[in-house]
Amino acid sequence: MNAANNPPASGSIKFLTGPLAGNTFAITKPVTTIGRESTNDIVVKGDQKISRSHARIIWNNGMWSIEKLSPQNTMTVNHQQVQQATIADGNTIGLGEDTTFLFQFRADAYGAAQRPPIVPSYQQQAPPSQYAGQPQQQYQPMPTPQQYQPVPPPQQYQPMSPPQQYQSAPMQQVQFPPYHTAGLGGRPDETQIAAPGSTGIPSLEVSSNIFGSRQNYPLTKDVISIGRDASNDITIRDGGIVSNQHI
């Protein structure tokens, strides 16, 4: 492999979640494999959602990339599902459901070694011999100015017509009907809370193909989270199909 495909020594990955959380691994090879199998360069044990040969990080032609080693493996780059993607410093990569790591790469350390040295501007000037013997340019008289054109006189001021007098319209008294909700029981003198569908509030109906249940959730917040974890606004416990923090 030529020198262009030899990775710099400044690449590393730092695990954020999963069995290896808090561990940092240097990336010094053109191809670095990750998986549960002990033959991988980075072995992730204890996460059954990661396959034995899950993914690999590749350095090629001055760029880093990552790709899955099997179509059924789960992999994200910055929370986007991908099969293969180019990665850069600060990207977050997820493997399986619980393992994530931060890709770190100091591009300036590698780029400084590859950039050509800066030559001072005075060294880039042509040698004096190229300027010797060149005739001076002949004097050219300036063209005569154009004849002065007088500025036309300003237009005569025209006074504006007085504005029309504003006539205010009398305010009409608004009669509000007594508050009540059709179809709901209760005393006539108490406030009733209507169902979300009858007041125009949007709602989300969640149905389960496993349990055969249906449930409506009113959408009353700007941001609503859905997932298997109990901290979500809408909790869905459907086995392993829905992740802890899904959408």
Side-chain angles (χ1 to χ4, degrees), residues 28-147:
T28 59
K29 299 169 58 179
V31 178
T32 302
T33 58
I34 305 174
R36 287 202 331 265
E37 190 73 36
S38 59
T39 56
N40 290 282
D41 299 303
I42 300 176
V43 181
V44 183
K45 294 183 178 180
D47 190 343
Q48 296 303 317
K49 298 297 182 180
I50 295 182
S51 65
R52 283 177 284 188
S53 296
H54 200 95
R56 62 180 180 178
I57 300 174
I58 304 171
W59 169 266
N60 189 27
N61 292 328
M63 294 187 303
W64 289 103
S65 63
I66 189 169
E67 66 179 10
K68 297 190 297 186
L69 295 177
S70 180
Q72 65 267 21
N73 294 344
T74 302
M75 185 178 72
T76 61
V77 174
N78 293 334
H79 309 289
Q80 299 291 328
Q81 291 281 348
V82 295
Q83 168 70 35
Q84 187 272 344
T86 301
I87 56 177
D89 180 56
N91 288 168
T92 301
I93 291 89
L95 304 178
E97 293 183 358
D98 301 323
T99 297
T100 59
F101 62 83
L102 180 68
F103 181 74
Q104 298 173 319
F105 170 53
R106 293 192 308 171
D108 54 346
Y110 178 71
Q114 298 296 320
R115 289 192 296 266
I118 300 175
V119 180
S121 59
Y122 67 85
Q123 295 184 9
Q124 296 178 356
Q125 297 179 357
S129 59
Q130 296 183 7
Y131 298 99
Q134 293 185 358
Q136 297 184 357
Q137 295 184 357
Q138 187 176 2
Y139 170 76
Q140 299 291 336
M142 296 180 62
T144 57
Q146 297 182 356
Q147 187 176 2

